[in-house]
Amino acid sequence: MMSNSPQEPIFTPEKIEALYFDTARQGETELLAEFIRAGMDINHQNHEGHTALILACYHNQLEAVKLLLEKGADPNIVDNKGATALTGVAFKGYIPIAQLLIKAGANVDAENNLKRTALMFAILFGRNDMAKFLIESGANPHHTDGEGVTPIQLAERQGDEELVTLLKAKNII
């Protein structure tokens, strides 16, 4: 005997959102493009404040990042911790994605909730090539975080003389 009660929808808004973010995380560009064509808000944020762009960047999905930026994803949206897509990329060391983000207008000196920048994360996690790229892209080596520490001081603490010299050479005070 069939029930007259309405069935629960197969794709609830929550399930659609989860699928959308999984698609970005896994770099499934064809399906991601379908979500966008179907009207999914490209800058929609999940409960952690992540966008599809932030997730694609963090998981090194270069083609998905290209697609999202081409379709108008905002590279300066911050998550619940105040981090942008560039912050995660700096931490991971994904220079090709950082190049795309900066070309698309990402703020190279955006601060997270602790006032740390992408350059600071690159230095903290030993991503020297990323740090050098960010410096060349105009990152401020004199920025002070919430604890009063600058990128130069972080590099000094890491004992990286080459990076310290490079940072000090960018005298933009």
Side-chain angles (χ1 to χ4, degrees):
M1 178 171 202
M2 296 190 59
S3 167
N4 287 338
S5 65
Q7 288 187 340
E8 190 174 312
I10 295 172
F11 290 106
T12 63
E14 295 80 14
K15 287 180 183 175
I16 292 170
E17 177 187 272
L19 256 156
Y20 174 62
F21 289 122
D22 283 345
T23 299
R25 189 180 289 112
Q26 295 165 6
E28 297 176 27
T29 54
E30 288 179 25
L31 188 53
L32 195 55
E34 286 300 317
F35 272 107
I36 296 165
R37 272 194 288 279
M40 186 72 178
D41 176 4
I42 200 162
N43 292 316
H44 178 72
Q45 292 178 272
N46 68 12
H47 65 283
E48 294 175 324
H50 297 150
T51 62
L53 180 63
I54 289 172
L55 292 171
C57 288
Y58 189 79
H59 292 279
N60 201 22
Q61 300 296 341
L62 185 64
E63 294 306 313
V65 171
K66 285 179 185 175
L67 172 71
L68 290 162
L69 290 172
E70 286 169 6
K71 298 295 183 181
D74 184 346
N76 292 306
I77 291 177
V78 297
D79 68 15
N80 295 353
K81 294 180 181 178
T84 64
L86 187 59
T87 307
V89 168
F91 158 71
K92 293 281 201 157
Y94 303 147
I95 293 173
I97 292 179
Q99 291 169 329
L100 289 174
L101 291 169
I102 290 170
K103 185 177 178 187
N107 178 356
V108 73
D109 285 322
E111 302 174 344
N112 73 358
N113 293 347
L114 300 173
K115 296 187 73 177
R116 290 196 177 122
T117 64
L119 176 59
M120 296 175 122
F121 277 97
I123 294 168
L124 281 168
F125 290 93
R127 308 294 187 192
N128 288 4
D129 289 342
M130 175 63 77
K132 291 171 187 171
F133 167 74
L134 292 169
I135 293 163
E136 291 166 6
S137 298
N140 181 359
H142 304 285
H143 174 85
T144 304
D145 72 9
E147 296 174 348
V149 179
T150 67
I152 293 171
Q153 291 168 320
L154 289 174
E156 287 171 342
R157 289 178 187 172
Q158 302 285 76
D160 189 327
E161 291 305 317
E162 179 189 3
L163 197 53
V164 170
T165 301
L166 182 61
L167 287 162
K168 286 183 175 179
K170 293 291 182 180
N171 189 10
I172 58 170
I173 294 177

